[in-house]
Amino acid sequence: MDSQTVSRHATGPDAPTAGTLKPNALGVLGILFFVLSAQAPLTGIAGAAPIAVALGNGPGVPAAYLVAGLVILLFSVGFVAMGRHVVDAGAFYTYIGKGLGRTTGTGSAGLALFAYCTIQAAMYGLYGAIVSGLVATHTGLDLPWWVWTLATMAVVQALGAAGVEMGAKVLAVFVLAEFSILSVFALVTLFKGGGPEGLGLADSFSPSAALDGAPGVAVMFAVASMFGFEATAIYGEEAREPRKTVPRATYLAVAVVTGFFALVSWMLISSYGASKATAAAGKALEGGDGAGFVFAPIAADFGGWVGDVLPVLLATSLFAGILTFHNSANRYLFSLGRDRLLPLRLCRLNRRHAPWTAGCVQTVLAVLLVVPFALAGKDPVLTLFSWFSGVAVLAMMLLYLLTSVSVVVFFRRTRLDTRPWNTLIAPALGALGIAGAIWLILANFTTLIGGERSTALWLTLSVPVVMALSLLAARVRGRTVAAADG
């Protein structure tokens, strides 16, 4: 039985209920759309870029995206090398378990679920607020944000159950729309020679520009914008020729995302002029409309109609991200059930080979995370979105670090791949870069969540607490399974 097949089979008397996810369902482009959806390009630009410019290194923000992309690229080298020998919907926790042991892998599984569920809940908060405002503006129907959020949860559950191909088709439409309008704006600005001060290449990419102000804040937001690219491995079981498809999709995703964010942020800054961009971003944030920093120059180029279209695209951008993280989380639950770390019922598939029970559980988790904020009357953007997006990024970066270390250990022990660059040098450099990113996130966590220090402290502590509880739950589950097998 080869390394691809080993991870797909459950053990025990109930193994047949585990099944496998639908094979040969996705190609490179299908997986790429899932990754780009997780990035939510318009959300990443409209949400993160104004803060990074105003509080970070100003016009040097595009360089921060390149630095973040380089770190993720180094990480991807080892990630892809590992993926050639381990194909599993559990991705991170399976990879970490292979190198650092089953116990550490199990703890990371809970952390991965925590990251995916909290980032999805965060997006639900921002999505609900935006949709509520759009509907009220265009129809006069003024309903609370959580009404639209709960209704969308039902839609996401239905699309998730319809199968991975249906999800990819829906995401393709939404992603192409937001990706196209931002790319066209960037290319038009580039070809016409930039804004009032020209392209400002040195103002954005020179070493002095990159290190000006608070570069750590800019890098932190840039790294946060890369969240979700690891979905390439999660869909390995459903990919056509995963040994070829997953590596191609991973490298293509990192290159596209890095180039996209660097180019669009550069052209945004150029459209204002490097000397005025920081003040413009700060003014937009003070007025409570950070997205206006992004929308204004696009509307100036393409006309006022863009001002009506972009908020709608922002909502569809968030919807695409929500659906992607739903699919990622339910595949983690499916894989954990198949490995008997959670009840085997989570392995049940519907007629379209989609994780039905796991999808239902993931939707329930989303409800449990979102409803308390609605009942407490909290602002969905200032609390739900800000808090959960920050803690999800911190949890995911820790997973990246553990995976990089696991890659080195796994290949040193198994010698399945002896290429120094792929299995030692690049993963080690990636681990150093990710460790630096974690330090920056912790040092600037209050800024990242837009809250108080006390809130930042308990959110930060939630990450190791979740991992510890996951380890404890796994041990209890292991004893229960062992006793049942008798």
Side-chain angles (χ1 to χ4, degrees):
M1 196 176 288
D2 63 25
S3 58
Q4 280 195 22
T5 308
V6 169
S7 62
R8 298 186 188 186
H9 287 260
T11 59
D14 295 322
T17 65
T20 58
L21 297 170
K22 187 174 183 179
N24 302 315
L26 294 171
V28 172
L29 291 180
I31 296 176
L32 179 64
F33 279 124
F34 274 109
V35 174
L36 294 179
S37 300
Q39 252 83 53
L42 184 56
T43 304
I45 288 293
I51 304 174
V53 173
L55 304 179
N57 56 349
V61 163
Y65 282 112
L66 292 183
V67 171
L70 177 60
V71 170
I72 297 301
L73 182 61
L74 289 170
F75 168 84
S76 298
V77 173
F79 186 67
V80 165
M82 188 80 154
R84 294 182 184 279
H85 302 278
V86 182
V87 178
D88 191 275
F92 276 139
Y93 96 83
T94 307
Y95 289 12
I96 293 170
K98 292 289 184 181
L100 302 182
R102 186 176 178 84
T103 300
T104 306
T106 302
S108 69
L111 195 60
L113 272 174
F114 180 65
Y116 286 129
C117 289
T118 50
I119 192 62
Q120 188 200 42
M123 293 177 125
Y124 269 128
L126 182 56
Y127 171 87
I130 290 172
V131 171
S132 178
L134 285 172
V135 173
T137 299
H138 294 289
T139 70
L141 180 61
D142 192 5
L143 294 176
W145 64 272
W146 51 266
V147 172
W148 303 108
T149 294
L150 292 176
T152 301
M153 287 181 184
V155 176
V156 168
Q157 171 64 26
L159 284 173
V164 71
E165 306 103 311
M166 178 61 70
K169 291 174 182 176
V170 172
L171 294 176
V173 174
F174 292 154
V175 170
L176 282 174
E178 59 181 303
F179 198 82
S180 296
I181 196 165
L182 289 173
S183 298
V184 169
F185 160 75
L187 292 173
V188 167
T189 306
L190 177 67
F191 289 131
K192 73 178 184 180
E197 300 174 13
L199 290 174
L201 181 63
D203 293 318
S204 289
F205 293 103
S206 68
S208 60
L211 297 173
D212 190 31
V217 174
V219 171
M220 175 185 68
F221 279 101
V223 169
S225 298
M226 303 287 177
F227 193 115
F229 83 94
E230 70 286 341
T232 55
I234 291 175
Y235 296 103
E237 289 187 31
E238 297 158 280
R240 291 188 287 272
E241 297 184 272
R243 290 180 184 273
K244 295 179 180 179
T245 301
V246 172
R248 290 172 183 171
T250 301
Y251 288 131
L252 182 60
V254 174
V256 169
V257 169
T258 301
F260 173 82
F261 279 112
L263 176 62
V264 174
S265 61
W266 177 28
M267 291 301 100
L268 276 172
I269 289 166
S270 176
S271 67
Y272 285 97
S275 65
K276 299 176 181 177
T278 303
K283 185 177 180 180
L285 292 173
E286 289 174 6
D289 183 23
F293 173 74
V294 176
F295 293 172
I298 298 177
D301 276 357
F302 299 148
W305 63 271
V306 174
D308 295 324
V309 171
L310 284 175
V312 175
L313 289 180
L314 182 55
T316 59
S317 171
L318 286 161
F319 179 84
I322 287 167
L323 178 58
T324 297
F325 287 118
H326 170 81
N327 284 326
S328 295
N330 68 29
R331 278 155 178 76
Y332 257 86
L333 288 166
F334 170 88
S335 186
L336 287 167
R338 185 170 57 187
D339 289 345
R340 306 189 74 187
L341 295 172
L342 288 176
L344 278 167
R345 289 188 296 275
L346 290 170
C347 301
R348 290 176 181 168
L349 305 172
N350 62 17
R351 293 180 180 178
R352 299 186 67 86
H353 284 264
W356 167 251
T357 305
C360 292
V361 170
Q362 200 287 316
T363 299
V364 170
L365 290 174
V367 171
L368 293 175
L369 287 172
V370 169
V371 166
F373 287 85
L375 293 176
K378 295 291 187 181
D379 185 293
V381 179
L382 298 180
T383 57
L384 179 56
F385 175 72
S386 297
W387 295 359
F388 278 0
S389 58
V391 76
V393 169
L394 179 59
M396 189 55 69
M397 293 308 297
L398 179 56
L399 286 169
Y400 290 173
L401 178 61
L402 290 173
T403 302
S404 291
V405 175
S406 179
V407 167
V408 174
V409 175
F410 175 77
F411 285 114
R412 297 280 74 70
R413 186 176 68 243
T414 65
R415 311 302 294 177
L416 289 172
D417 188 335
T418 58
R419 294 173 296 173
W421 171 254
N422 298 73
T423 63
L424 177 61
I425 299 172
L429 291 174
L432 289 174
I434 291 165
I438 292 174
W439 179 83
L440 290 174
I441 290 171
L442 290 173
N444 298 281
F445 199 67
T446 303
T447 301
L448 180 60
I449 67 166
E452 299 177 352
R453 287 187 179 182
S454 58
T455 303
L457 178 61
W458 67 260
L459 285 173
T460 301
L461 292 176
S462 69
V463 174
V465 168
V466 166
M467 190 158 186
L469 290 175
S470 299
L471 290 171
L472 179 61
R475 289 180 180 178
V476 173
R477 174 67 180 170
R479 291 172 185 171
T480 302
V481 171
D485 290 344

